[in-house]
């Protein structure tokens, strides 16, 4: 059997023997014979333990039992009976198909170098607070002081003659050993920072290691001095600061509660834990004020986030139940973090009542945990559970708890901000939806579908809205508007504006006149003093598009106050964005608005929208309008489907602004639904007008309405002949109600009067109001129209 060579900084174990798995000597080299005096014939087949002058350390027996290598100092028995101090390295050795043998490498111990004659120098070396060691020219321990001996959990006698990895097989110690070799080879000092667990400490520490070459008077390297300083406290503080700095960058990037909880879990793994779960109270997720923590029953939390490579038994979004004596429930009830070993009594008791978590613990073998409450601004939000799985890290200690509590405190503020935003957003969204049409009533003039999508941003809900308003004469008004600003104030302002539009629409104003009145209203509202709140409109106020469609003439009148123009798709396949004269936004005043009138073929699609649909960061407005035209050209028979297709084509998952979309398909009322007669200014024609109206009702099968209609026609035509100017026209419209209209060239508006007992007149309009469902008047370009509606018989 060959002998290994010896080289500076490398292995130097010239004596080799082989032992069987049972501990019998199976091979005996010449070096062994020279060291101990026994020939191969005398020892082969005998127990190797008979060559020991003193028993092996207990650690050696444990490693041999696990079939692991070991290195250390032993005392062997020479053939002449004397004791020989040696360094021994034993390594498992494959041996055919049978059990592994042991390769035994032995080196005789040298006598320690002369320590000189100055006891003060020796004492300062031994008593230095730094862990000091001196290595010889082969990188073997030559001397260690008391601090180093404590860290190594071995005396100088036991360490002398061993290399670093002979005593500590952890791969983390290979780099210090390589540093010793480099210093011996180059004569240059080196510096090393290492985070390892040494044999004399219960957990890993951070070490600053300085390696300095030792030279003789000629400058030749005769050894290396190693000085190790434990700077775990400073290292921990630095790591905690780095953790908190990372947390400040990554946690709270959005105002979404679940996203913020996941960011907390992501930051904590793997720096703080191998497994992290964030459980929140349901009220936190809803944006509400959480109730007091129950102390007499299990605690129910909602799993908000997980970060781990290990499969968890509770998925995100599911309810997680904790017994009232569990660390999670206790930390939330007391408001203080808890550190515990998994083998602790409280944890064992908890797991005994939770079979699923007990099975998880048995599978993944965690050794310690921390439960830290999420508490901010006097509000309990939830709990974050940190767990370390063996053997990846040391058990948690007080320093870890302090870091976890600081991390949880910062994250709790972000989660509470998100909770408060959720509450405000929910309130604003509820207000917004309460002010929007709950459902769009079916109209004879139009098929209509609409969508409202709230913004998904930090600024909150905006003031976008749409409305569909029935008007007299079977006409329908379409409205889309956008109040500048976000939040509850914008929603409240939108409600006031929508109410004003409905009120003005009831007066039957033309689109340009309606916007002019609306502009005055917004200007007044923006100047109202509101000392405790933001002004509802701001400098630019709001934008609005108002359109009126008449199914009889098939004309649509539109006016815009700073609002994006609508898109029109006709049945022949043409799609365009209307070139609508656009006035300034509402609230500026002093600038007139203009109307545009367009005849629309039956079956045309008109799309009204707010700028959130076309103003996107990733593309310009022209590209967005092109996409809108394409989606309208490919419109589906269902308007609901068309709305969905448009939103899908133009919007991303993250909305930077609110979006309101209103789509209408036009219908037409033909001659079979409308009858009209010109009236001469002669009282004698009133009877003829009654007869013509009655005949038309019978032709429509509405005999039940003849009596009331005759009274209405008689009153309205008589008033027009007496008080109005020519031309005069009577018109009946049959749609979802029977509408009777009388138009004249006078701009004088009628009003109800209550006739006294002996008055001969003044009861006409009162009778009309009492006999019909609705009545009113509207101004036209040539005069006015008085109308009355009766419901059709069912």
């Amino acid at each position: 059997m060959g002998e290994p060579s010896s080289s500076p900084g490398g292995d130097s174990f010239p004596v080799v023997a082989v032992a069987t798995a049972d501990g019998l000597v199976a091979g005996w080299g010449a070096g062994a014979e020279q060291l101990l005096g026994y020939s191969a014939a005398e020892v082969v087949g005998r127990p190797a333990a008979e060559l020991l002058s003193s028993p092996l350390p207990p650690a050696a027996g444990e490693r041999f039992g696990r079939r692991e290598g070991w290195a250390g100092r032993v005392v062997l028995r020479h053939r002449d009976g004397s004791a020989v101090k040696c360094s021994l390295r034993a390594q498992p050795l494959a041996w055919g198909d049978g059990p592994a043998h042991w390769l035994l490498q032995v080196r005789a111990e040298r006598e320690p170098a002369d320590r000189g004659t100055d006891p003060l120098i020796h004492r300062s070396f031994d008593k230095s607070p730094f862990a000091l060691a001196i290595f010889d020219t082969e990188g073997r321990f030559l001397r260690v002081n008391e601090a180093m001996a404590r860290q190594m959990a071995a005396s100088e006698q036991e360490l002398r003659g061993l290399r670093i990895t002979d005593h500590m097989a952890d791969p983390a110690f290979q780099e210090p050993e390589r540093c010793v070799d480099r210093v011996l080879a180059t004569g240059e000092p080196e510096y090393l920072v290492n985070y390892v667990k040494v044999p004399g400490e219960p957990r890993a520490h951070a070490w600053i290691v300085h390696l300095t070459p030792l030279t003789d008077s000629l400058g030749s390297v005769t050894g290396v001095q190693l000085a190790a300083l434990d700077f775990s406290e400073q290292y921990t503080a630095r790591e905690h600061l780095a953790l908190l700095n990372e947390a400040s960058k990554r946690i709270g990037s959005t105002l979404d509660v679940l996203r913020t909880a996941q960011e907390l879990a992501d930051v904590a793994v793997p720096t703080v834990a191998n497994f992290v779960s964030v459980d929140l109270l349901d009220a936190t997720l809803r944006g509400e004020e959480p109730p007091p923590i129950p102390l007499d029953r299990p605690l129910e939390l909602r799993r908000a986030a997980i970060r781990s490579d290990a499969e968890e038994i509770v998925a995100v979004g599911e309810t997680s139940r904790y017994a009232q004596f569990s660390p999670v429930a206790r930390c939330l009830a007391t408001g203080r973090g808890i550190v515990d070993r998994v083998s602790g009594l409280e944890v064992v008791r908890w797991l005994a009542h939770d079979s699923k978590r007990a099975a998880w613990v048995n599978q993944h073998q965690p050794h310690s945990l921390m439960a830290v409450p999420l508490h901010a601004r006097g509000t309990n939000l939830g709990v974050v559970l940190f767990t370390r799985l063996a053997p990846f890290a040391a058990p948690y200690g007080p320093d870890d708890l302090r870091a976890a509590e600081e991390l949880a405190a910062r994250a709790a503020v972000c989660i509470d901000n998100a909770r408060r935003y959720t509450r405000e957003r929910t309130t604003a969204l509820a207000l917004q939806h309460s002010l929007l049409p709950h459902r769009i009533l079916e109209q004879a003039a139009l098929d209509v579908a609409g969508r409202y999508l709230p913004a998904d941003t930090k600024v909150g809900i905006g003031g976008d809205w749409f409305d569909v308003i029935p008007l007299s004469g079977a006409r329908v008004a379409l409205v889309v508007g956008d109040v500048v600003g976000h939040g509850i104030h914008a929603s409240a302002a939108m409600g006031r504006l929508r109410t004003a539009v409905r009120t003005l629409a009831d007066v039957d104003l033309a689109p340009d006149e309606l916007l002019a009145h609306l502009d005055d209203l917004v200007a007044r509202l923006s100047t109202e003093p509101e000392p405790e709140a933001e002004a509802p409109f701001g400098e630019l106020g709001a934008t609005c598009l108002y359109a009126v469609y008449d199914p009889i003439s098939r004309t649509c009148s539109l006016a815009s106050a700073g609002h994006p123009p609508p898109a029109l798709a006709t049945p022949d396949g043409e799609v365009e964005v209307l070139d609508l004269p656009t006035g300034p936004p509402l609230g500026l005043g002093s600038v007139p608005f203009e109307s545009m009138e367009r005849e629309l073929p039956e079956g045309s699609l008109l799309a009204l929208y707010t700028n959130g649909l076309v103003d996107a960061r990733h593309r310009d407005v022209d590209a967005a309008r092109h996409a809108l035209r394409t989606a309208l050209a490919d419109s589906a028979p269902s308007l609901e489907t068309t709305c969905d297709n448009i939103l899908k084509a133009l919007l991303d998952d993250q909305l930077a602004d609110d979006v309101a979309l209103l789509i209408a398909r036009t219908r037409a009322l033909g001659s079979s639904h409308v009858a009209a007669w010109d009236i001469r200014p002669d009282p004698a024609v009133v009877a003829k007008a009654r007869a013509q109206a009655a005949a038309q009702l019978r032709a429509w099968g509405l005999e039940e309405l003849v009596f009331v209609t005759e009274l209405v026609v008689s009153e309205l035509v008589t008033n027009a002949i007496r008080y109005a100017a020519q031309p005069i026209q009577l018109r009946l419209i049959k749609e979802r109600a029977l509408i009777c209209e009388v138009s004249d060239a006078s701009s004088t508006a009628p009003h109800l009067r209550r006739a006294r007992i002996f008055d001969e007149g003044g009861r006409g309009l009162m009778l009309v109001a009492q006999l019909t469902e609705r009545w009113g008047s509207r101004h036209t370009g040539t005069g006015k129209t008085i109308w009355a509606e009766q419901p059709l018989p069912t």
Side-chain angles (χ1 to χ4, degrees):
M1 177 182 299
E3 305 289 357
S5 62
S6 174
S7 61
D11 293 332
S12 181
F13 284 83
V15 179
V16 177
V18 176
T20 66
D22 297 331
L24 301 179
V25 177
W28 192 253
E33 181 175 350
Q34 182 180 355
L35 177 65
L36 298 182
Y38 296 102
S39 65
E42 291 178 293
V43 295
V44 172
R46 294 175 55 188
E50 293 182 358
L51 300 175
L52 294 172
S53 181
S54 60
L56 290 173
E62 293 174 3
R63 295 182 72 89
F64 290 159
R66 296 195 299 267
R67 310 298 295 175
E68 296 176 357
W70 177 82
R73 295 186 71 252
V74 296
V75 181
L76 301 178
R77 181 181 294 110
H78 195 274
R79 191 173 186 278
D80 61 10
S82 62
V84 180
K85 296 179 180 180
C86 301
S87 295
L88 170 67
R89 182 162 67 187
Q91 295 176 306
L93 179 66
W95 197 269
D97 296 330
H101 283 38
W102 291 94
L103 175 64
L104 306 176
Q105 296 174 281
V106 184
R107 180 182 58 235
E109 286 287 347
R110 297 179 180 178
E111 289 299 320
D114 184 8
R115 298 190 177 184
T117 58
D118 190 344
L120 182 59
I121 296 177
H122 301 313
R123 184 169 179 81
S124 66
F125 177 84
D126 290 335
K127 299 300 183 182
S128 172
F130 300 102
L132 302 176
I134 295 176
F135 297 87
D136 63 17
T137 56
E138 294 181 348
R140 299 191 297 257
F141 283 104
L142 189 61
R143 285 211 59 198
V144 297
N145 70 348
E146 295 177 4
M148 181 64 77
R150 286 194 301 271
Q151 301 300 338
M152 297 293 101
S155 66
E156 183 181 278
Q157 287 274 54
E158 293 172 318
L159 292 171
R160 188 179 300 121
L162 300 180
R163 288 172 63 82
I164 295 176
T165 55
D166 291 338
H167 182 64
M168 297 171 292
D170 190 321
F173 292 99
Q174 293 177 0
E175 181 57 25
E177 185 174 276
R178 286 193 290 266
C179 286
V180 171
D181 293 340
R182 285 197 299 268
V183 173
L184 286 169
T186 65
E188 297 293 331
E190 292 208 8
Y191 167 85
L192 174 69
V193 176
N194 211 1
Y195 189 82
V196 294
K197 178 187 177 301
V198 296
E201 295 290 345
R203 60 190 180 92
H205 283 232
W207 301 92
I208 296 178
V209 182
H210 291 272
L211 299 107
T212 308
L214 302 176
T215 59
D216 58 17
S217 59
L218 299 178
S220 299
V221 177
T222 58
V224 175
Q225 175 179 279
L226 182 150
L229 171 65
D230 182 354
F231 77 117
S232 297
E233 185 175 341
Q234 296 86 342
Y235 178 84
T236 300
R238 187 179 68 183
E239 290 295 305
H240 289 176
L241 183 61
L243 173 66
L244 296 179
N245 184 53
E246 184 71 9
S248 65
K249 294 179 181 178
R250 296 174 56 186
I251 300 177
S253 63
T254 68
L255 286 172
D256 180 85
V257 174
L258 292 177
R259 175 73 177 272
T260 305
Q262 188 60 56
E263 289 169 346
L264 166 59
D266 293 342
V267 167
V269 175
T271 307
V272 182
N274 305 112
F275 170 84
V276 172
S277 64
V278 182
D279 293 340
L280 301 178
L281 294 162
D282 277 335
T284 302
L285 295 169
R286 295 193 300 267
E288 302 170 358
E289 292 292 332
I293 303 303
L295 302 177
D296 56 346
R297 64 180 186 275
L299 176 66
E300 289 194 358
L301 300 173
R302 185 76 58 182
R303 181 58 51 85
I306 302 174
R307 180 63 187 273
S308 173
D309 295 334
E311 183 179 354
E312 172 54 351
I313 58 175
V314 180
V316 171
E318 295 182 359
T319 299
S320 189
R321 292 173 59 87
Y322 295 97
Q324 58 269 35
F325 49 80
S326 67
V328 171
R330 285 189 290 121
C331 88
L332 194 57
T334 62
R336 295 190 299 271
I338 293 176
V339 176
D340 214 334
R341 300 294 294 266
V342 174
S343 58
L345 294 178
E346 291 295 335
V347 178
V348 170
R349 179 189 176 197
W350 168 39
L351 296 177
H353 289 78
D354 194 329
S355 58
K356 289 185 178 180
R357 284 190 172 83
W360 187 90
V361 168
N362 290 333
Q363 178 183 358
H364 299 291
Q365 295 297 310
H367 53 65
S368 61
L369 59 85
M370 291 187 296
V372 180
L374 292 168
H375 189 84
R377 302 183 181 99
T379 302
N380 286 317
L381 305 172
V383 176
V384 54
L385 182 66
F386 304 90
T387 305
R388 278 182 175 167
L389 309 180
F392 301 111
Y396 287 122
D399 290 340
D400 298 303
L401 180 60
R402 282 192 292 271
E405 287 177 333
E406 290 186 42
L407 177 63
R410 294 200 178 193
V413 172
C414 296
I415 291 175
D416 191 52
N417 288 341
R419 177 188 69 86
R420 289 167 179 258
Y421 167 73
T422 299
R423 178 181 61 189
E424 181 175 343
R425 187 175 190 275
T426 301
T427 302
L429 193 58
L431 176 61
Q432 183 87 336
H433 280 297
S434 70
L435 297 174
L436 289 171
H438 292 176
R439 64 185 182 90
I440 300 176
L441 296 177
E442 191 174 354
Q443 306 291 331
L446 298 167
D447 290 326
V448 183
R451 292 287 187 276
Y452 169 74
L453 298 179
D456 187 16
T457 66
K458 297 181 181 180
V459 293
I461 304 300
D464 294 19
W465 96 95
F466 64 85
D467 208 348
V468 180
I469 307 172
L471 301 177
S472 62
R475 297 167 306 131
V476 177
L478 303 175
V479 192
V480 173
D482 184 0
V483 174
V484 173
H486 294 82
I488 294 177
H489 296 297
S491 297
M494 179 274 288
R496 299 171 74 177
L497 199 57
R498 177 173 177 256
T499 301
V501 171
R502 277 192 162 260
T503 302
L504 293 171
D506 194 51
V507 184
D508 254 326
L509 297 175
D512 55 339
E513 295 181 25
L514 183 142
L515 291 183
H517 284 283
L518 203 59
D519 180 59
D520 293 338
L521 174 65
V522 172
R524 290 196 301 272
L525 289 175
S526 62
T527 60
E528 291 181 359
E530 298 194 25
E532 298 181 359
E534 178 186 352
F537 293 99
E539 294 182 359
L540 296 182
T543 65
C544 183
L545 177 64
Y546 186 81
V548 176
Y549 176 68
D550 186 342
I552 298 174
S553 64
R554 292 184 289 105
T555 59
C556 182
S557 299
L558 308 96
S560 171
H563 203 81
L568 173 66
T570 54
D572 59 4
E574 293 292 327
V575 183
E576 62 177 309
V577 175
L578 296 181
D579 187 12
L580 182 66
T582 302
L586 299 172
L588 295 185
S590 303
V591 180
F593 297 94
E594 296 183 37
S595 289
M596 166 188 172
E597 189 169 287
R598 178 75 175 264
E599 184 174 332
L600 303 181
E602 184 176 8
S604 298
L605 277 182
L606 193 62
L608 288 70
Y609 51 88
T610 56
N611 60 2
L613 183 69
V614 294
D615 287 350
R617 298 173 186 168
H618 65 284
R619 61 184 172 191
D620 58 27
V621 175
D622 291 337
R625 288 177 177 170
H626 176 74
L628 174 60
R629 291 195 298 269
T630 302
L632 278 177
D634 299 334
S635 60
S638 168
L639 292 185
E640 299 292 340
T641 303
T642 300
C643 281
D644 293 337
N645 292 342
I646 291 175
L647 296 177
K648 183 178 180 180
L650 273 77
L651 300 181
D652 298 327
D653 294 334
Q654 299 290 329
L655 295 182
D657 195 5
D658 290 23
V659 173
L661 173 64
L662 184 63
I663 297 181
R665 179 180 285 119
T666 62
R667 295 177 180 172
L669 288 179
S671 58
S672 61
H673 292 267
V674 182
W677 302 273
D678 292 328
I679 304 297
R680 291 183 294 107
D682 182 355
V685 302
V686 174
K688 181 180 179 182
R690 287 198 302 267
Q692 289 172 325
Q696 184 62 56
L697 293 184
R698 291 187 183 94
W700 284 339
L702 301 177
E703 290 84 356
E704 298 178 27
L705 303 182
V706 169
F707 177 72
V708 173
T709 303
E710 286 181 329
L711 290 176
V712 171
V713 168
S714 180
E715 177 59 31
L716 296 185
V717 170
T718 299
N719 283 347
I721 293 173
R722 285 182 179 179
Y723 307 114
Q726 297 184 57
I728 301 172
Q729 184 186 67
L730 168 65
R731 186 168 69 166
L732 295 180
I733 303 171
K734 177 194 172 188
E735 48 126 27
R736 301 188 185 282
L738 176 64
I739 304 171
C740 178
E741 295 182 345
V742 174
S743 302
D744 58 60
S746 172
S747 59
T748 303
H751 63 278
L752 286 175
R753 292 173 53 197
R754 295 186 177 274
R756 292 182 291 251
I757 295 176
F758 298 105
D759 287 349
E760 294 184 2
R763 298 182 177 86
L765 287 181
M766 181 68 70
L767 288 174
V768 172
Q770 291 178 344
L771 293 174
T772 60
E773 186 176 57
R774 294 196 310 150
W775 82 279
S777 66
R778 67 176 181 271
H779 290 280
T780 65
T782 58
K784 69 176 183 297
T785 298
I786 303 174
W787 55 270
E789 286 186 7
Q790 302 175 68
L792 298 180
T794 56

